[in-house]
Each structure stands twice: as C-alpha cells, then as structure tokens.
C-alpha cells in the first residue's frame, strides 16, 4: 500500500452499529473484535459485534406504511440494494423479524430486513472486510451501510486514507449515483460526534453528499396519537443544518424483534428507497433521496426538534403520494 | 313479467315497473300502441361508479383527498323503456338511458332496442321471448394529473396515485365498463 494512499497513520475501526445495550451485551470474543486491516500498516479497521438481544417472535415491528406495502406484495422491482456489511465473520446473534428465530451474522440480519421491506428488490451482499470497491448494478442502486469507520477524533476527512470500498461509496454519494443509507450510530451523540475519543469518519465523509441519508432509530414507530421518541442509544442529527437536512428517523422496535440499533434503521430506509425507486422508474437517486427527506413527518414525534430528529420520521405513504392532484 | 333482479338497494326502490297502455286495445283495433313498461333509476354501472367514491389518501403534506369529490354525481342514470305493440303477440321494445357524470367518470347516454313476442300454449299460460340490445351507456373513468414535486408530473388513475404502482401503470386500472349489450329474456307465465 502506498504512502499516498494511507495519508495518515490512524486506526480506524470498522464498526457495525447495533445498540450497545449494557444489560444484555454479549462479551466480545476475539473473533468479533478482530482487526480487519485494510492493507495492514497504519490503518486497521476492526469489527465490533452486535449485542445480545432478547428474542420475541412478533410480526408487528414494521411501521404501518411498511406493513401495508409488504401486505400488498409490493416488490421493489428494478432496484438493487447492496448491503455492505459483515457476511464472513463467525459472529452471529439471535433475532426474529417475525419469520422465526434465527442466529445470523450482522449482515445477514440487515439483508433480511431490507429484503422483507422491499421483497423483490435485488439484494446484493458485499462483505465489508474485503475493502474492495462496491460495484453498482445497472439501474437504480441503494447502498446500505449499517456500520461506521472509527478512528481517533480530531482529523479531517481529507486526512483519512480510505479503502477502495469506502472511496467508492463516498464517490457514489457525492455524484448522486446511488442512494446511501447510513446508520447514524449508537453512541447517543450527534452524527460525526466524538465518543470515547473517536469519531465515525464515514459519517463525516458523507455529510453534505446529495444522496447520503443518515438514519437514526426511534424506540417505536410513531403515530400522531402515539408519538415516538429517539431511542436512547441512537445518534441524533446535531446542530449542523447540513446533517439535519439529510437525517431521518424510523422505528426500530427491538422489543418485538430482539434487534436493536441504528443498524436496523438503515435497512428500512434502504427498503423505502427501493420501493420509491420502483414506483418512479425514471427518478434519479437524488430525486428519491429528496423525496424521502421532504416527506418525513414531524407530527409523529415527541417534541420534534431538527437537531434531534433531522427531517423527521420517514413516511413511505407520503413519499409515494402526490404533492397535489387534480 | 318480472325483470331480472339486479337492482341495488338505494335505487332498486326507485325502480318503477309500469304497464301503462297508451291507446286502444290492439286486439280490438290492431292499432299501433306504445306502452311505458319501465322507469328505472340506477344500474350496476351506476353502482360501480359509486363504489369508486369510497376511500381516499393523504397528499405529501398530510391533507386528505377524498375520492367522493371526484366520483359523486348529483344525478343517477335513469332508463325509460317502452313497448310498441305491433300485433296481438309481438312488439318492439325500445328505451333510452340518461347516463350520469361526475368529475372523474361518465356513464354515456344509451339507447335500447329489441322485440317481444309471445304465444299461448294453453288458455291460462303465456310463453314470451324478448331480445333487447343496448347501444352506448359505457362507464368511463377519467385520469387525474398528479404532481409529485421533484419526481415529476404524471397522468394517473386518481384513485391509485398514492399507491405503490408506477404512475404510468395506474392508467391500466381506469374503469371502462359496458352495460349488458344483449339481453335474452324467456318467460313462462301461468294464470290460475
């Protein structure tokens, strides 16, 4: 690896983003905490493994919007969702999205969730440990990133020597060639904020990119009569208007699935994007992104504040609806 | 005679079955007489159009759009049927339908034409046969123009604009229905 590629000798941690539920956290085993070094040398990324969950087989974890789309047999046809995640480690954990308790890797969970929301979207799996560039499929693309790239705080994004994997993702978000659904993180800080002396530089690199969406978690799906609030672990939008304008929240009802964390918020937005993309077959990723952002609801949230909820709770039904009709 | 019963609750009650003989008895004079045999308001197409008014959806800003505003008609299609008797046992059936319309659908006016013939197998029985054909009376649903903001403006099926179907594909589901084009009616009546 050339010196130019690795601009700085920092240690970036590749971290998947389930919530760290102290009372239920599993101890990390050596494999789970193993370093995944992109090119060795100065920058290593390490995978942190999801927490333990209580499994509770229910099928009502989706918002009514998602449930309706699913019940209607909506397929998400013509859109490819690429799940960039862990598909190779020995780390597995239990959960149940309503189709039976399973014991799966993190990526297998996020893939399953996205595929349940947009059942006929083409789902691709990209193991994040490879570091190779993420290829786009022909047609419309959504990238699901339920992980972060952590390193010591204080560097600028330009100082990070990204692997080709993240280079490609950031490039797609910059050029608007794919929708990038990025889990906001589970450290109860603002997007890109410092936690334990580290920052998620992938968050920072995606700020201001036209097709990047940061996805926070609500503890429930919100309604006007039963408003939702941010899950205790979820990162929030923060004071940066640029982040606020690309920040959405969705319900992650872990009490029903046993799966907590913004890792399981991002696939919902990926699925929404696929559904919108299959309705508006000529829409660009930028248009789909803006549609999702501009139709988010604020009246389903407790004490809506853009610094917490960004644009608000994503609403599939409103994203599919006209602005006006006559 | 008894008309096939496919009346709807609301308008079945409005149906009138009249047999008003206009003019002198044809048996005695062989004159051509015309009878009003049926005034009927409502039809299965009317009911189908009315069914389109059920439901609605939210626009992006949350405002509610009720289908009723597009599919409510102040007038219900009315058919008036006549029998022009040519001989003691035959005649021409004819009639007109007014049609109805609302903002997003139309039932076109219709014309009905046919004949009736009867025979008497015995002194107290009658066997009759009629055939009628209807022209016009089609139910056609009109599209809406939906503005999806940045995603564009499309001609859509008004009822499906907020669903998952691609806007251009919703037009496949516009209702276009025809009334019964041909009716064959065989009736046997015994009087005792």
């Amino acid at each position: 690896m050339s010196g130019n590629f690795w601009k700085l000798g920092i240690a970036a941690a590749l971290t998947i983003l389930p919530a760290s539920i102290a009372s239920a956290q599993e101890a990390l085993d050596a494999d789970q905490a193993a370093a995944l070094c992109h090119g060795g040398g100065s920058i290593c990324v390490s995978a942190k493994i999801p927490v333990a969950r209580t499994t509770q087989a229910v099928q009502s974890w989706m918002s009514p919007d998602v449930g309706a789309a699913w019940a209607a047999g909506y397929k998400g046809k013509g859109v490819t969702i690429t799940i960039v995640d862990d598909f190779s480690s020995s780390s597995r954990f239990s959960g149940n999205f309503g189709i039976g308790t399973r014991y799966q890797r993190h990526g297998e969970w996020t893939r399953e969730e996205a595929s349940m929301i947009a059942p006929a979207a083409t789902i691709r799996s990209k193991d994040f440990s490879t570091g190779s560039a993420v290829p786009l499929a022909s047609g419309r693309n959504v990238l699901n990133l339920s992980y972060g790239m952590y390193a010591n705080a204080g560097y600028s994004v330009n100082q990070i020597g990204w692997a080709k994997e993240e280079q490609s993702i950031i490039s797609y978000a910059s050029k608007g060639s794919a929708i990038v659904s990025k889990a906001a993180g589970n450290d109860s800080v603002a997007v890109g904020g410092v936690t334990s002396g580290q920052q998620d530089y992938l968050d920072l690199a995606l700020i201001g990119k036209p097709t990047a969406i940061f996805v926070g978690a609500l503890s429930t799906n919100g309604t006007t009569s039963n408003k939702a609030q941010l899950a205790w672990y979820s990162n929030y939008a923060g004071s940066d208007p640029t982040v606020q304008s690309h920040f959405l929240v969705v319900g992650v009802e872990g009490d029903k699935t046993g799966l907590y964390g913004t890792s399981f918020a991002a696939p919902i937005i990926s699925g929404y994007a696929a559904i919108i993309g299959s309705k508006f077959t000529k829409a660009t990723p930028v248009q789909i992104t803006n549609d999702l952002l501009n139709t988010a609801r604020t009246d389903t949230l407790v004490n809506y504040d853009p610094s917490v909820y960004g644009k608000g709770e994503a609403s599939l039904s409103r994203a599919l609806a006209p602005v006006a009709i006559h | 005679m008894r008309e096939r019963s496919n009346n709807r609750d609301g308008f079945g009650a409005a149906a009138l079955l009249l047999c008003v003989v206009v003019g002198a008895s044809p048996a005695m004079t062989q004159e051509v007489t015309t009878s009003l045999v049926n005034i009927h308001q409502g039809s299965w197409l009317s009911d189908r159009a009315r069914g389109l008014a059920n439901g609605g959806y939210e626009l992006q800003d949350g405002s509610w759009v009720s289908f009723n505003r597009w599919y409510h008609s102040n007038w219900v299609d009315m058919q008036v049927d006549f029998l022009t008797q040519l001989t003691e046992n035959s005649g021409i059936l004819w009639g007109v339908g007014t049609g109805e319309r609302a903002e997003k659908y139309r039932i076109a006016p219709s014309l009905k034409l046919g004949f009736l013939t009867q025979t008497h197998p015995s002194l107290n029985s009658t066997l009759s046969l009629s055939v009628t054909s209807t022209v016009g009376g089609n139910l056609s649903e009109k599209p809406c123009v939906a503005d999806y903001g940045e995603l564009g403006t499309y001609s859509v099926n008004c009822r499906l604009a907020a669903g998952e179907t691609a806007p251009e594909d919703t037009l496949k589901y516009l209702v276009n229905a025809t009334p019964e084009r041909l009716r064959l009616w065989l009736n046997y009546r015994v009087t005792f």
Side-chain angles (χ1 to χ4, degrees):
Chain A
M1 198 61 58
S2 73
N4 288 337
F5 185 76
W6 300 114
K7 294 180 181 176
L8 264 183
I10 63 170
L14 178 67
T15 308
I16 52 183
L17 299 170
S20 299
I21 301 172
S23 61
Q25 179 136 20
E26 292 175 338
L28 302 183
D29 62 27
D31 200 31
Q32 290 171 337
L36 302 169
C37 297
H38 288 319
S42 57
I43 299 181
C44 290
V45 291
S46 61
K48 193 186 291 180
I49 286 320
V51 294
R53 295 119 260 279
T54 55
T55 50
Q56 190 175 6
V58 292
Q59 299 188 26
S60 55
W61 55 274
M62 298 176 182
S63 82
D65 278 356
V66 180
W70 191 26
Y74 193 66
K75 306 298 183 183
K77 188 178 178 183
V79 180
T80 300
I81 303 175
T82 300
I83 310 291
V84 185
D85 212 310
D86 168 29
F87 294 97
S88 62
S89 80
S90 61
S91 169
R92 292 178 172 84
F93 51 93
S94 296
N96 189 338
F97 277 128
I99 53 176
T101 300
R102 295 167 187 268
Y103 188 66
Q104 303 187 119
R105 295 182 181 89
H106 188 273
E108 292 162 344
W109 280 118
T110 54
R111 181 177 62 192
E112 180 174 301
E113 186 181 23
S115 67
M116 286 177 72
I117 294 168
T122 301
I123 307 289
R124 286 184 171 181
S125 305
K126 168 72 168 65
D127 192 280
F128 62 21
S129 67
T130 65
S132 58
V134 180
L136 293 185
S138 60
R140 291 169 300 286
N141 284 268
V142 181
L143 305 184
N144 188 84
L145 312 181
S146 291
Y147 71 97
M149 294 290 291
Y150 286 82
N152 289 335
Y155 298 105
S156 78
V157 171
N158 293 334
Q159 291 176 290
I160 303 297
W162 296 108
K164 289 183 179 177
E165 185 170 72
E166 282 70 37
Q167 281 181 347
S168 64
I169 292 168
I170 295 165
S171 171
Y172 299 145
S174 300
K175 295 175 182 173
S177 47
I179 299 154
V180 176
S181 178
K182 169 72 172 71
N186 302 316
D187 301 306
S188 303
V189 299
V191 167
V194 178
T195 177
S196 301
Q198 295 203 317
Q199 286 178 283
D200 181 350
Y201 283 92
L202 188 52
D203 271 354
L204 293 172
L206 291 171
I207 291 173
K209 302 297 185 283
T211 53
I213 302 175
F214 301 103
V215 190
L218 300 169
S219 51
T220 60
N221 293 299
T223 64
T224 52
S225 59
N226 189 16
K227 296 177 191 289
Q229 59 186 359
L230 200 71
W232 63 270
Y233 52 79
S234 178
N235 285 0
Y236 46 87
S239 58
D240 183 348
T242 308
V243 175
Q244 292 175 8
S245 66
H246 279 248
F247 189 96
L248 292 173
V249 287
V250 294
V252 176
E253 300 195 343
D255 57 329
K256 298 175 179 174
T257 63
L259 300 165
Y260 294 87
T262 57
S263 279
F264 305 108
I268 293 174
I269 291 298
S270 294
Y272 283 16
I275 288 173
I276 295 166
S278 56
K279 170 167 179 167
F280 299 100
T281 55
K282 296 172 185 170
T284 66
V286 173
Q287 289 174 322
I288 294 170
T289 301
N290 289 339
D291 184 43
L292 270 167
L293 292 165
N294 293 336
T295 55
R297 299 185 68 158
T298 59
D299 58 347
T300 57
L301 301 169
V302 175
N303 299 324
Y304 168 71
D305 179 342
S307 68
V308 176
Y309 301 109
K311 295 289 285 184
E313 183 175 11
S315 170
L316 179 59
S317 60
R318 291 195 176 179
L320 295 173
V323 176
I325 187 166
H326 60 271
Chain B
M1 294 182 181
R2 185 160 49 200
E3 182 119 336
R4 193 179 72 174
S5 178
N6 60 357
N7 295 340
R8 312 320 130 183
D9 292 341
F11 299 98
L16 297 173
L17 186 60
L18 300 178
C19 290
V20 180
V21 177
V22 180
S25 165
M28 296 185 62
T29 64
Q30 294 299 312
E31 291 179 3
V32 174
T33 61
T34 296
S35 305
L36 174 64
V37 294
N38 182 32
I39 297 178
H40 182 93
Q41 197 165 26
S43 66
W44 74 273
L45 286 182
S46 268
D47 291 343
R48 185 166 179 189
R50 218 165 322 285
L52 302 178
N54 297 325
Y57 48 71
E58 286 184 346
L59 298 178
Q60 284 194 7
D61 65 359
S63 58
W64 180 254
V65 174
S66 170
F67 297 160
N68 191 55
R69 83 181 202 202
W70 291 321
Y71 298 97
H72 174 73
S73 173
N74 290 323
W75 173 254
V76 178
D77 186 20
M78 176 183 280
Q79 290 101 47
V80 183
D81 297 334
F82 299 93
L83 171 64
T84 298
Q85 192 166 1
L86 301 176
T87 69
E88 184 177 358
N89 290 311
S90 67
I92 294 174
L93 286 165
W94 58 279
V96 294
T98 60
E100 67 179 64
R101 66 169 62 218
E103 185 178 345
K104 292 299 177 186
Y105 79 88
R106 175 176 184 257
I107 296 176
S110 62
L111 286 173
K112 182 186 290 184
L113 189 62
F115 71 91
L116 169 69
T117 183
Q118 65 180 14
T119 185
H120 301 281
S122 63
L123 286 176
N124 61 348
S125 65
T126 304
L127 178 63
S128 56
L129 170 70
S130 72
V131 177
T132 57
S133 176
T134 300
V135 177
N138 290 15
L139 166 62
S140 53
E141 187 180 7
K142 302 173 186 174
C144 284
V145 175
D147 173 9
Y148 291 97
E150 195 169 342
L151 295 167
T153 299
Y154 295 84
S155 178
V156 297
N157 183 318
C158 308
R159 296 171 291 113
L160 303 178
E164 296 86 359
T165 309
E168 54 272 33
D169 290 342
T170 63
L171 297 176
K172 298 175 187 170
Y173 303 101
L174 289 172
V175 173
N176 280 297
T178 56
E180 279 183 330
R181 287 292 179 217
L182 192 65
R183 173 179 282 194
L184 180 65
W185 184 18
L186 186 63
N187 183 274
Y188 180 65
R189 185 176 62 190
V190 177
T191 305
F192 54 89

